[in-house]
């Protein structure tokens, strides 16, 4: 195995269709117009020396190393900044050029410390490479870089160091931060020989605006910015391309290794979702895989109050099988079920639902998507005919108006946010519909044209008001609607949204958003060119989540913003494989590809292949399983890679349900909160230890490749197979590719998918079949999947969760960049340095009324429960609204969330809870107990580690 080498062409690819032909060193070369001479030379295999250029960034032209000679032109222009032209004759190697380049390198080297042998970039340094490439043999101005400014080593960032003495001031880092990441955290301070890279106002990296995406580290051609892991372990010797296991962006990475140790994760330029970029989680937060709290041996116990006992895999699997069979014999076949994981691969998820349907003999399977994007499934299937986003991420490059509803991409989908910011800096307009002033409302060089800070729970009203403006002001794209949608349904909908109660003026009273802002936003979306809607859990996690998704679809159809690049309706999926877990048939009523279980022909296909009869009726959803457990009819649960106690609403109800079961089996990396109620713990494997596929928010199927053997002994799909076999239904697979073959055989939208095909194409966006053998980047181009687009009347119904004298504030929740969901992985990395605890954001007015100062402990109480956390006073939230993240188990924000849920899908209403906030002395009693328990388990883990 070797390192996967990606060619650096020096400047970005030109997207022009017109081509030109030039001659380089006597060889003709045809390239798209706008291509630099440097890139044209690289594409034909001629490397021109360079330092300040890299193909991730626009050409800058500062180092003067890439000089060329052009017939008929005076001087020696820089090849990175000079576009190739028709008929141009270029020379890259002449005596004059050699002399000039050596002179440039002499100056660089005289300014650079010559500790190459002990430098962490030795062997992986472009300065070294260029000294070799230009044939530098002596330096007339002395060595050692004594004159170079050296403000000292900055080790403040937990993942990388900044060693200014090695800086060649090429500005690649500064430009990467601006162009790729869009954070503008770096600047070049000083002048001439005194120039130096500086984060913010000469702060440390950690205390600056830096969000630790690592783009600057990747861009740096020297060891000036370098990963601490490289400094510690050494340069990598082989790499494996795989897919990030955090969010739904689905970034592609090269896992660069030494033996079976990960040295660093380098974003893969050929990754079509991320195009060589990443965020702090994917690039740096992989250390949890080696965390000492990771459980590597199976454990069992008789009662949940007993201590755990380590056992062999054989004994653990035997216990699972015998318990599940006993329970079914005693309480009936429907008394057990399973929960699939959106963190696991498609193949693993497919097998869990197969285990439930074929081995358990019922349809009691559900997934965590229940609590996030199930309304997307319902809403988009109803209106468009398929349960997925309509676009690829590249589409945003063609968007003129971005509408962002209930999503906070800079925190939750950071790499896509960077691409979106780039488009906004190019001039696209932005409308943000969110109760909070998220970063994108105003961030360097980006300002939203409209921010509609609606009262939580009023999404549908606002969308109806936007539609009201579109219809009543004659902004409907009638041609699109007549050709592509059901006209009668449209007419009914148009009449409905035109009613006075849907006018911006009426909705302003409900939502708190001024009518003029609603009107302005509607006009901009309808008339501003290509309009694309991106939305997140702020849309779905409501009692009207499915209604909101349909209202979004209505608006897009009415304005003709569907079916071409630059437009569309795009759910930003939360977890890495939440799209895949839904696609794989994880819901109780659907087989893979969203086909209803009651469809006889579909079921017959599965029955024929699986050799088992399948139940016709849908099984239980997660909340129904818990209800049934409390009622005594549901007794056994297999939970793969989920922590329902922490992630599901109304914690008290979840714990009561789990406690009422006789056999809870948890398969995970760590003893999570749900495992407190488990009888069997099966250690899971990380994404680094398995093969399979994930599907991101663009429907993109990408390979997850094993970079090391599973530390627990098995990949997760193998464990599911072991359980099934022990229960009497062997599943015969040697490799996950065979599971994907089965998925493709049984699922029309995946018919053309195989591991081999994904290897060939890099990734595939479903549908992929005979009609679309290379997949489908943009959906509904010539017609909707369901035929005619369906307009649905979306009447606003206020949630039953109301504020009142006891609970006068509305709580809404969200994520922060450095953490991921319940934090099981990110809390076990240095990412905690950015977010050590969940805080309650409260408006200064509400804080003052309650005598709360910044940093005070406050009690957060709802009618469901109470917790305590510290206050953060900020105007990011409007008066009357409070906000918190849910990454730390000792906060358990879900203790206060209620049992209300989406009318169609049961997706919990996380985003609206009526609460009261009051000063308190510290954590509640249960939090203190929890902290003590956590301290004990850390002590035990440390003792075991020391003994080993
Ligand atoms: S890590 Fe990212 S955000 Fe921080 S300075 Fe580098 S490029 Fe900018
Ligand atoms: S830190 Fe690296 S990328 Fe930035 S200017 Fe210095 S050498 Fe160039
Ligand atoms: S967490 Fe999301 S944005 Fe960050 S690297 Fe992973 S997939 Fe990309
Ligand atoms: S690479 Fe062209 S000027 Fe630096």
């Amino acid at each position: 195995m070797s390192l996967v080498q990606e060619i650096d062409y020096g400047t970005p690819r030109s997207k022009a269709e017109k081509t030109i032909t030039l001659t380089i060193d006597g060889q003709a070369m045809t390239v798209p117009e706008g291509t630099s001479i440097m890139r044209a030379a690289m594409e034909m295999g001629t490397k021109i020396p360079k330092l300040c250029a890299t193909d991730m960034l626009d050409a800058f032209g500062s180092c003067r190393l890439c000089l060329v000679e052009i017939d008929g032109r005076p001087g020696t222009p820089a090849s990175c900044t000079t576009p190739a032209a028709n008929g141009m004759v270029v020379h890259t190697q002449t005596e004059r050029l050699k002399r000039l380049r050596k002179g440039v390198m002499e100056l660089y080297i005289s300014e650079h410390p010559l500790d190459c042998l002990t430098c962490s970039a030795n062997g992986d340094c472009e300065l070294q490479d260029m000294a070799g490439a230009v044939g530098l043999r002596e330096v007339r101005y002395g060595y050692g870089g004594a004159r170079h400014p050296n403000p000292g080593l900055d080790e403040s960032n937990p993942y990388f160091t900044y060693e200014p003495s090695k800086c060649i001031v090429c500005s690649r880092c500064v430009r990467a931060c601006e162009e790729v990441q869009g954070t503008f955290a770096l600047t070049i301070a000083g002048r001439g020989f005194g120039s130096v890279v500086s984060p913010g106002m000469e702060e440390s990296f950690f205390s600056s605006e830096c969000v630790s995406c690592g783009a600057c580290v990747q861009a740096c051609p020297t060891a000036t910015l370098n990963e601490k892991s490289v400094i510690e372990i050494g340069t990598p010797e082989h790499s494996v391309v795989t897919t990030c296991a955090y969010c739904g962006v689905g970034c592609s990475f090269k896992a660069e290794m030494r033996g079976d140790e990960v040295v660093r994760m380098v974003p893969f330029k050929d990754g079509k979702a991320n195009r060589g970029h990443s965020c702090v989680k994917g690039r740096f937060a992989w250390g949890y895989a080696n965390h000492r709290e990771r459980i590597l041996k199976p454990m069992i116990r008789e009662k949940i109050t007993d201590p755990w006992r380590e056992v062999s895999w054989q004994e653990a699997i035997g216990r699972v099988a015998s318990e599940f069979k006993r329970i079914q014999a005693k309480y009936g076949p429907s008394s057990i079920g399973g929960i699939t994981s959106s963190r696991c691969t498609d193949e693993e998820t497919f097998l869990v639902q197969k285990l439930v349907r074929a081995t358990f003999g019922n349809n009691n399977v559900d997934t965590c998507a229940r609590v996030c994007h199930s309304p997307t499934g319902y809403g988009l299937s109803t209106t468009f005919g398929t349960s997925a986003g309509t676009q690829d991420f590249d589409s945003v490059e063609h968007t003129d108006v971005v509408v962002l509803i209930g999503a906070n991409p800079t925190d939750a989908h950071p790499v896509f946010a960077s691409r979106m910011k780039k488009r906004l800096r190019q001039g696209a307009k932005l409308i943000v519909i969110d109760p909070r002033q998220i970063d994108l409302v105003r961030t360097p060089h980006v300002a939203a044209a409209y921010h509609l800070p609606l009262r939580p729970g009023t999404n549908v009203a606002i969308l109806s008001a936007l539609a009201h403006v579109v219809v009543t002001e004659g902004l409907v794209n009638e041609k699109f609607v007549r050709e592509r949608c059901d006209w009668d349904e449209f007419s009914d909908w148009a009449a409905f949204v035109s009613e006075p109660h849907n006018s911006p003026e009426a909705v302003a009273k409900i939502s708190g958003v001024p009518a003029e802002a609603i009107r302005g936003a509607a006009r901009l979306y309808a008339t501003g060119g290509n309009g694309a809607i991106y939305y997140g859990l702020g849309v779905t996690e409501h009692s009207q989540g499915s209604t909101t998704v349909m209202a979004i679809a209505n608006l897009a159809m009415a304005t003709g913003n569907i079916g071409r690049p630059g437009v569309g309706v795009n759910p930003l999926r939360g977890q890495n494989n939440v799209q895949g877990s839904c696609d794989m048939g994880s819901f109780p009523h659907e087989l893979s590809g969203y086909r209803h279980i009651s469809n006889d022909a579909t079921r017959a296909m599965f029955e024929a292949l699986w050799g088992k009869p399948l139940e016709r009726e849908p099984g239980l959803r997660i909340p129904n399983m818990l209800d049934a457990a409390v009622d005594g009819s549901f007794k056994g649960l297999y939970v793969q890679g989920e922590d329902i106690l922490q992630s599901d609403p109304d914690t008290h109800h979840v714990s009561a349900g789990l406690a009422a079961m006789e056999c809870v089996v948890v398969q995970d990396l760590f003893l999570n909160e749900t495992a407190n109620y488990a009888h069997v713990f099966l250690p899971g494997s990380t994404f680094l230890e398995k093969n399979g596929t994930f599907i991101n928010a663009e429907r993109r199927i990408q390979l997850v490749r094993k970079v090391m053997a599973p530390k627990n002994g098995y990949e997760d799909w193998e464990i599911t197979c072991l359980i099934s076999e022990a229960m009497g239904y062997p599943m015969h697979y040697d490799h996950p590719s065979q599971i994907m073959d089965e998925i493709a055989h049984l699922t029309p939208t995946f018919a053309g998918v195989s591991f081999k095909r994904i290897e060939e194409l890099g990734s595939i966006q479903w549908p992929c079949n005979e009609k679309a053998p290379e997949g489908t980047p943009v959906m509904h181009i010539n017609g909707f999947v369901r035929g005619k687009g369906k307009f649905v009347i979306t009447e606003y119904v206020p949630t039953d969760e109301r504020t009142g004298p006891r609970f006068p504030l509305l709580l809404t929740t969200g994520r922060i960049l450095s953490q991921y969901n319940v934090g099981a992985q990110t809390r076990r990395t240095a990412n905690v340095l950015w977010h050590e605890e969940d805080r309650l954001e409260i408006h200064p007015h509400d804080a003052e009324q309650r005598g709360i100062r910044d940093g005070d402990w406050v009690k957060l109480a709802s009618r469901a429960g109470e917790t305590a956390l510290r206050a953060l006073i900020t105007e990011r939230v409007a008066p009357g609204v409070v906000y918190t993240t849910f990454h730390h188990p000792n906060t358990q924000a879900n203790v206060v969330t209620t049992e209300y849920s989406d009318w169609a899908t049961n997706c919990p209403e996380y985003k609206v809870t009526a609460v009261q906030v009051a000063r308190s002395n510290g954590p509640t009693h249960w939090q203190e107990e929890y902290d003590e328990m956590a301290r004990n388990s850390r002590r035990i883990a440390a003792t075991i580690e020391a003994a080993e």
Side-chain angles (χ1 to χ4, degrees), residues 46 387 675 766:
T46 297
S387 170
W766 66 258

Side-chain angles (χ1 to χ4, degrees), residues 889-910:
N890 58 348
T891 312
Q892 294 230 356
N894 286 333
V895 166
V896 296
T897 52
T898 66
E899 76 285 8
Y900 293 132
S901 62
D902 175 45
W903 62 272
T905 66
N906 267 160
C907 181
E909 189 169 48
Y910 286 131

Side-chain angles (χ1 to χ4, degrees), residues 416-474:
F416 179 63
S418 291
R419 298 186 69 179
M420 188 185 270
K421 282 195 281 186
K422 188 167 191 167
R423 182 65 192 149
L424 295 170
R425 290 198 303 275
Q426 289 166 349
K429 299 282 184 290
L430 174 65
I431 299 165
V432 174
I433 304 177
D434 200 292
R436 253 176 108 232
Q437 184 166 337
I438 58 169
D439 284 347
L440 277 169
V441 172
R442 184 166 287 278
T443 193
H445 305 280
V446 170
Y450 292 95
H451 173 212
L452 312 186
L454 76 177
R455 194 175 155 76
T458 59
N459 284 335
V460 173
I462 283 281
L463 285 157
S464 296
L466 292 169
H468 178 96
V469 178
V470 169
V471 172
T472 58
E473 296 191 8

Side-chain angles (χ1 to χ4, degrees), residues 219 339 365 493 606 624 718 895:
I339 296 177
V365 62
W493 172 81
F606 282 76
N624 308 126
E718 293 177 297
V895 166

Side-chain angles (χ1 to χ4, degrees), residues 19 103 249 256 273 342 461 478 533 570 615 690 707 745 802 864 915:
T19 57
V249 176
E256 295 198 341
S342 293
E478 193 176 322
I533 301 177
N570 303 284
E615 275 291 313
K690 58 174 74 162
V707 308
H745 178 75
R802 305 275 164 87
V915 293

